[in-house]
Amino acid sequence: MELIFVHGALVRDGDWWWRPTAELLLERTGIRSRSVALPSCGETTPEDVAGGLVADAGALRAELDTVDDAIVVAHSYGGTVVAEAGHHPAVRHLLLVSSYLPDVGQAQGQIMSGESDPVAIGDAGDGRLGVVGYSARTFGDRFLQDTDDTVQAEGFARVAPQAAASFTTPTTAAGWQGVDSTSLVCVDDRSTSVALQRFHAERATRSEDVPTGHHPFISRPDIVTDTIERMLR
């Protein structure tokens, strides 16, 4: 069994975001984990960026092709990547963290369109979008308020522009359907509303509320590791 992590939108370096939980998970269970490099965030070759959601889903499928049994942890936009990747025989469990389980035909931008306090996103040039108007302090206050100043600054340093097609491409599959899944609703999240989280969490096999901001795998790796252990029982 291996664990594959799919990070959220508009950031890079998934290994950094996932590391606190990866280290605890390995220590407690022996399960190794890795993060998918998302082409749309510039984590692979430059020519792949324009592929947006389709390229990201292909990157996830390529990782899954290398394992026999996997848990996929999807954070935020990562849930839309899981959906578009479709069914894969290696996937045994899904863990959705402040994330989405979209129907076929839904684009990420459409999913986010009903938020009353949306994250500020603007044109970053070359067919890309990026977060706008944030400093390390304001970014930390919105996305990582339950971590320290150092972590907030390191997180802000990993903010990255992303292909606009990641947000505008409708899904053609719903890879979460028919798979055992747990959704973590982050009740102190200042990025994704609790209402939107709950709407998608109702589609999962089960859901749990956690007292964290948007990134519990950084701020409370114990909670995320506990959840994974329960999924395996």
Side-chain angles (χ1 to χ4, degrees), residues 84-147:
E84 179 62 16
H87 293 282
H88 194 287
V91 179
R92 296 291 175 264
H93 306 276
L94 295 175
L95 176 58
L96 292 305
V97 183
S98 187
S99 194
Y100 317 103
L101 295 92
D103 291 321
V104 172
Q106 287 190 300
Q108 182 66 35
Q110 177 186 358
I111 294 168
M112 299 163 58
S113 64
E115 292 281 54
S116 60
D117 183 21
V119 173
I121 300 173
D123 185 5
D126 298 324
R128 299 176 301 168
L129 300 175
V131 295
V132 294
Y134 291 96
S135 63
R137 182 186 62 80
T138 57
F139 178 86
D141 186 59
R142 177 140 194 180
F143 295 91
L144 290 160
Q145 80 275 13
D146 47 356
T147 66

Side-chain angles (χ1 to χ4, degrees), residues 3-71:
L3 188 147
I4 297 174
F5 175 68
V6 188
H7 68 73
L10 302 165
V11 297
R12 58 176 178 82
D13 194 5
D15 284 338
W16 179 85
W17 297 94
W18 179 246
R19 185 172 298 127
T21 295
E23 292 176 351
L24 182 59
L25 183 68
L26 181 61
E27 175 187 333
R28 284 172 44 174
T29 69
I31 293 176
R32 297 189 176 277
S33 55
R34 68 183 101 157
S35 177
V36 179
L38 296 183
S40 71
C41 296
E43 295 182 303
T44 57
T45 57
E47 57 268 23
D48 287 338
V49 172
L53 176 63
V54 174
D56 291 344
L60 172 57
R61 286 194 300 269
E63 291 286 348
L64 290 169
D65 286 343
T66 68
V67 299
D68 295 323
D69 296 287
I71 298 169

